[in-house]
Amino acid sequence: MTIRRKLLLFIPLLVLLVNSVTYFLFMSAQTVQYSYESMTERMLLYKQAAGTADDNLRLLYAFLLDPEESPAASPAFDAALTRLRGLRAALAAASSASLPAASLRSYTNMLDTFSEQASAAWESASAGDPRSALALYEDAEKTTAYIREEGQRLVDLELSRYQPLFRRIQGENERMNRLGAAVFVLNTVLSVVLAVWISRSITGPVSRLVRTARQMSKGNLSVEPAPRSNDELGILSDAFERMSAELKQLIERDKESLEKDRLVKELELKALQSQINPHFLFNTLNVLSKLALLEGAEKTSDLIVSMSNLMRYNLRKLDAPVTLRSELEHVKEYFAIQQARFRDRIRLELDIDESALQEAIPSLTLQPIVENAFVHGIAGREEGAVIRLEIKRAGKGVLIRIADNGAGMSEEARLALLRLEAEPGKEQSQSTGLGTRNVFKRLQLFYGRGDLVDIASVPGEGTTVTIVIPAGKEGEQTHVPAVDRG
């Protein structure tokens, strides 16, 4: 859940909860207030009805004493009588759960009786019948007394009937007060918990990211994985972890590049150690070759040319890949020199697929392995020494196999060679200076893989070195960047 969704979901829920509780408290207070107002309104109606009846009776009495005031007193009497009838209608419309319906109906009937008696007395007095008017006045006076007494009785009855209700309302008020306090505390606790939860869901991952960034700034890229969350900070944490992993990969590639550069510089240094004025040496070899040719020593001339080509190839730029064709020609030049030494004791067998000779390979790869076969494999054989070089297509790549029928090697030596474990002084004692382990290391760095070389050897029966060149670098003839150097 994203941070924005959390805020949009939980904050409105909290507000809705608070509003619901507030509305419940408000409606409870409204119910209590309505009960109070309803009871108070009926009590006031009883009192007002009794007071209005007294007003009508007083106006009627004043009129009976002085009928000459009829034109001035009549409007006031009519207004008071109208008010009384209005109060009677209000009482008839009012309902009370605490009073019997008969009591309220009896009270309104008294008001009706008073209104009729007062109107009849006024009319009799206006008609000049004081005796009848006085009798009606006395009846109205008695009815007024009944109205006062009945109104007071109804008020007392309302109060007595509402006394349990008052106590219940008071208890309800106390309960509502406690509930309000509890709701206030609950809302406060929920608000604090929600605020802390949302804050920790934000500040916790941010703090972890800050610690991770500080560790990365100090060079520590071993970032421990953070607990996964589904918000924006979780995505940011994943991005940090991916960035750390990519930085580690880049550093590893830089280390490999530095190792390649170191190896190339080492090879160049070894090559420089053998460069004793190469131009003078090549010119001297050319002169010797021409001189041998003029003297009829053609084999000597060919041997000198092979030696010159061999040295020129060894002194070339070591960080530029070459084709398998160039490597094959270099092997042939080297074999020509060795055959001049061993003559018919050795034989080179070639099984070459011409379509594979355009593949790129690090410079000086095949000749050191062939030389190792001479030095450590077949140099001690008196006859029948054979070195077989096979180059052919294998899927999209190229398979190179160099086999000899020499002395072979022990299992410990074979494993040490595959693990690139150096044996100081052994490989370089009789070689041109570029060891087999160095060749394997350059292949591993050049192609970025460690499974390209395999060695099979049986002591006394010979050794076979198999190299698998993967596809993807064919046709590369130019200088390569340092990150790809072999």
Side-chain angles (χ1 to χ4, degrees):
M1 184 182 296
T2 63
I3 297 175
R4 182 172 181 269
R5 186 173 297 176
K6 290 178 184 177
L7 296 176
L8 292 179
L9 178 62
F10 291 107
I11 292 180
L13 283 177
L14 183 61
V15 173
L16 180 61
L17 175 62
V18 173
N19 290 341
S20 300
V21 173
T22 304
Y23 178 76
F24 173 72
L25 295 175
F26 173 76
M27 292 304 297
S28 300
Q30 285 291 103
T31 302
V32 174
Q33 183 179 357
Y34 174 76
S35 300
Y36 274 117
E37 289 179 352
S38 177
M39 182 191 66
T40 305
E41 183 180 0
R42 287 193 300 273
M43 292 181 180
L44 289 175
L45 287 175
Y46 301 147
K47 294 294 184 181
Q48 288 175 358
T52 304
D54 287 339
D55 291 340
N56 278 283
L57 189 63
R58 189 170 50 255
L59 290 172
L60 179 59
Y61 179 75
F63 179 69
L64 292 177
L65 291 179
D66 187 8
E68 298 298 330
E69 296 293 331
S70 177
S74 181
F77 178 79
D78 291 340
L81 195 60
T82 302
R83 287 198 304 274
L84 182 62
R85 289 170 179 167
L87 292 171
R88 187 266 177 203
L91 280 171
S95 61
S96 174
S98 62
L99 292 179
S103 298
L104 191 58
R105 187 167 55 251
S106 175
Y107 187 75
T108 55
N109 289 336
M110 288 181 185
L111 295 177
D112 292 338
T113 301
F114 174 79
S115 298
E116 293 172 358
Q117 292 172 345
S119 299
W122 188 277
E123 290 175 357
S124 296
S126 300
D129 189 2
R131 186 181 298 275
S132 176
L134 181 59
L136 291 170
Y137 171 78
E138 291 177 354
D139 293 337
E141 188 176 18
K142 293 179 181 179
T143 303
T144 302
Y146 291 149
I147 289 174
R148 284 196 297 269
E149 292 176 0
E150 185 65 15
Q152 185 61 43
R153 189 183 72 84
L154 291 176
V155 169
D156 293 340
L157 187 60
E158 289 268 8
L159 291 176
S160 63
R161 293 292 181 88
Y162 265 98
Q163 186 174 3
L165 179 61
F166 288 155
R167 292 177 181 175
R168 192 161 57 250
I169 290 175
Q170 289 175 351
E172 187 70 17
N173 286 336
E174 292 178 0
R175 189 179 69 85
M176 294 302 296
N177 291 334
R178 290 193 299 270
L179 179 61
V183 168
F184 174 77
V185 173
L186 179 62
N187 284 337
T188 302
V189 172
L190 285 177
S191 300
V192 172
V193 170
L194 183 61
V196 171
W197 177 67
I198 294 179
S199 175
R200 291 188 64 182
S201 67
I202 297 174
T203 58
V206 169
S207 300
R208 287 193 295 269
L209 288 176
V210 170
R211 290 195 299 269
T212 300
R214 288 176 177 173
Q215 292 177 0
M216 293 177 64
S217 66
K218 295 178 181 179
N220 181 16
L221 300 180
S222 300
V223 180
E224 58 183 27
R228 184 68 175 91
S229 58
N230 296 324
D231 53 16
E232 295 86 345
L233 294 175
I235 297 174
L236 187 58
S237 298
D238 290 343
F240 256 83
E241 292 179 13
R242 290 195 300 270
M243 181 177 66
S244 175
E246 291 175 358
L247 284 175
K248 291 173 68 175
Q249 292 177 0
L250 288 175
I251 290 175
E252 291 299 325
R253 285 199 291 266
D254 288 342
K255 288 181 178 179
E256 290 181 0
S257 175
L258 292 174
E259 177 66 16
K260 294 175 186 178
D261 290 342
R262 184 196 65 78
L263 190 56
V264 168
K265 297 302 181 183
E266 180 181 341
L267 295 176
E268 290 178 346
L269 178 61
K270 292 180 179 179
L272 286 173
Q273 291 174 349
S274 63
Q275 293 183 26
I276 307 173
N277 199 347
H279 291 291
F280 173 77
L281 183 59
F282 293 150
N283 292 335
T284 302
L285 290 174
N286 286 333
V287 170
L288 292 176
S289 174
K290 293 292 188 337
L291 182 59
L293 189 61
L294 291 175
E295 294 178 350
E298 295 181 0
K299 291 184 178 181
T300 302
S301 176
D302 293 339
L303 182 61
I304 294 175
V305 170
S306 296
M307 184 62 189
S308 176
N309 292 336
L310 183 67
M311 294 188 65
R312 182 180 292 109
Y313 193 88
N314 284 346
L315 296 176
R316 65 179 297 155
K317 192 172 182 60
L318 296 176
D319 60 353
V322 297
T323 62
L324 276 172
R325 187 179 299 279
S326 298
E327 282 291 291
L328 179 60
E329 294 299 324
H330 184 56
V331 169
K332 291 179 179 179
E333 298 285 0
Y334 173 78
F335 189 79
I337 296 174
Q338 292 291 0
Q339 198 165 33
R341 174 186 173 189
F342 293 97
R343 299 187 180 276
D344 295 335
R345 290 168 52 191
I346 62 173
R347 185 173 76 255
L348 177 64
E349 296 181 357
L350 299 177
D351 183 4
I352 307 300
D353 183 356
E354 291 291 330
S355 64
L357 295 182
Q358 295 303 316
E359 290 289 339
I361 193 172
S363 177
L364 289 177
T365 296
L366 300 185
Q367 182 267 330
I369 300 176
V370 173
E371 181 179 7
N372 189 70
F374 270 105
V375 174
H376 301 291
I378 63 175
R381 290 182 66 95
E382 295 296 332
E383 60 181 357
V386 177
I387 295 179
R388 178 176 177 79
L389 174 59
E390 179 182 357
I391 301 175
K392 63 180 181 179
R393 287 283 178 183
K396 295 183 179 181
V398 175
L399 177 68
I400 302 173
R401 184 175 288 117
I402 302 172
D404 66 75
N405 59 350
M409 66 180 73
S410 65
E411 181 66 13
E412 291 78 6
R414 186 185 74 86
L415 293 177
L417 194 57
L418 287 176
R419 289 194 295 261
L420 306 181
E421 295 176 356
E423 296 181 56
K426 184 175 181 181
E427 278 196 3
Q428 298 181 8
S429 58
Q430 303 180 45
S431 67
T432 59
L434 189 59
T436 306
R437 291 177 181 80
N438 203 318
V439 172
F440 294 167
K441 180 65 175 178
R442 291 172 67 230
L443 284 171
Q444 177 179 335
L445 295 176
F446 183 74
Y447 292 103
R449 293 172 54 179
D451 59 346
L452 303 179
V453 179
D454 187 34
I455 300 175
S457 182
V458 177
E461 297 183 11
T463 302
T464 300
V465 178
T466 303
I467 302 174
V468 178
I469 302 299
K473 289 185 178 284
E474 52 265 300
E476 294 185 11
Q477 297 294 325
T478 59
H479 176 81
V480 293
V483 73
D484 290 328
R485 289 177 183 175

